[in-house]
Amino acid sequence: KGVRRVNSRFSGRLEPGNDLDLVLVKGRSLDIVTEVQIKKVRPWLRTDLEKLKTAFAVLEMAEKLLTDQGRNESFLALIRATLDQLENERRAPLLLLAFDIKAIAMSGFLPNLIECVICGSQGHLNKLVPAEGGCVCDSCYSGQAAVDADDKTKRLVNDLIAVRMRETDSVVADPGTI
C-alpha cells in the first residue's frame, strides 16, 4: 500500500526482477509492506531494454499462472533460473519460449503432442487443436480451430521441456519456428 508513494523507503528495493523477502501486514483492501530484504538484485535489467521486455513477459506469465494458494517453490525456482539465464542469453525469444512451455507444463496445461487426443494413434499428428487439449490425427480432425504442428515444432517443444534453463543455448532451433 505505502510502496506506491514516491518517497517510500521500500520503492527502490521493489524493482522488477529482484528476489525479495517481504513482510506483509493484512490491510483493509491491500496488504501493507512492513519489511523488505533483498536476496538478489539483477541490475543489468535496468540497462538493456530487450532483456527488460523479456523479463516482464516472464513475470506476466508467472502472475497469470501462480495462485495465492501458497508458495510453489519449483515454479519460483524456474522464474529465478530464467531471469538469471537472461543476463547472458543471446536468444531471448528462445529463452522466453522455454520458460512459457515449462510454466505451462508445470501448471498442467501442456497439450499432448505425442498421440492423438481422440483415438490415441501416434501417426500423422499435423494439427494441434487447443479445444481438444493436444494434437489430433488426420482421420480425427473435423475442421476445428487448429494450429499446424509439424515435427520440427513438436521436437523443439520436447527439447525445451527436457533442457535446463541454463542450457537453452544448446537447443537447436530454426529461427522461423520460434
Side-chain angles (χ1 to χ4, degrees):
K1 178 179 171 183
V3 172
R4 293 183 182 174
R5 286 186 238 126
V6 177
N7 60 354
S8 170
R9 62 188 171 121
F10 300 125
S11 61
R13 299 177 201 167
L14 299 176
E15 292 184 5
N18 287 352
D19 284 348
L20 309 169
D21 278 336
L22 297 172
V23 176
L24 303 172
V25 175
K26 198 83 165 156
R28 275 184 258 139
S29 59
L30 296 172
D31 292 343
I32 299 167
V33 177
T34 60
E35 188 178 322
V36 177
Q37 181 180 2
I38 298 175
K39 294 170 68 176
K40 183 169 189 169
V41 177
R42 295 180 179 88
W44 50 267
L45 281 175
R46 288 178 257 156
T47 60
D48 189 328
L49 183 59
E50 289 303 312
K51 289 181 180 183
L52 182 63
K53 286 182 356 185
T54 303
F56 273 126
V58 166
L59 297 172
E60 184 178 358
M61 175 67 98
E63 178 185 23
K64 292 186 182 334
L65 293 177
L66 280 174
T67 64
D68 292 335
Q69 307 301 321
R71 294 175 60 114
N72 184 336
E73 291 300 326
S74 58
F75 198 85
L76 293 173
L78 175 64
I79 295 166
R80 286 185 198 107
T82 304
L83 293 177
D84 289 343
Q85 181 63 26
L86 184 57
E87 181 176 10
N88 299 313
E89 183 63 44
R90 295 184 321 271
R91 299 182 298 171
L94 182 68
L95 183 71
L96 181 58
L97 181 61
F99 171 79
D100 288 346
I101 289 170
K102 288 176 180 293
I104 289 169
M106 291 174 85
S107 300
F109 294 111
L110 187 68
N112 186 344
L113 304 173
I114 298 170
E115 61 187 19
C116 175
V117 293
I118 296 172
C119 71
S121 76
Q122 294 183 354
H124 304 290
L125 301 174
N126 299 318
K127 298 288 184 187
L128 172 63
V129 181
E132 296 291 343
C135 288
V136 295
C137 65
D138 292 340
S139 59
C140 292
Y141 180 66
S142 60
Q144 312 94 307
V147 176
D148 289 333
D150 62 1
D151 289 337
K152 283 193 326 189
T153 303
K154 291 185 280 189
R155 194 173 321 108
L156 177 61
V157 169
N158 289 330
D159 289 349
L160 291 175
I161 288 173
V163 74
R164 294 176 181 228
M165 293 308 286
R166 66 178 174 259
E167 299 165 349
T168 53
D169 265 349
S170 68
V171 174
V172 177
D174 178 19
T177 309
I178 300 173

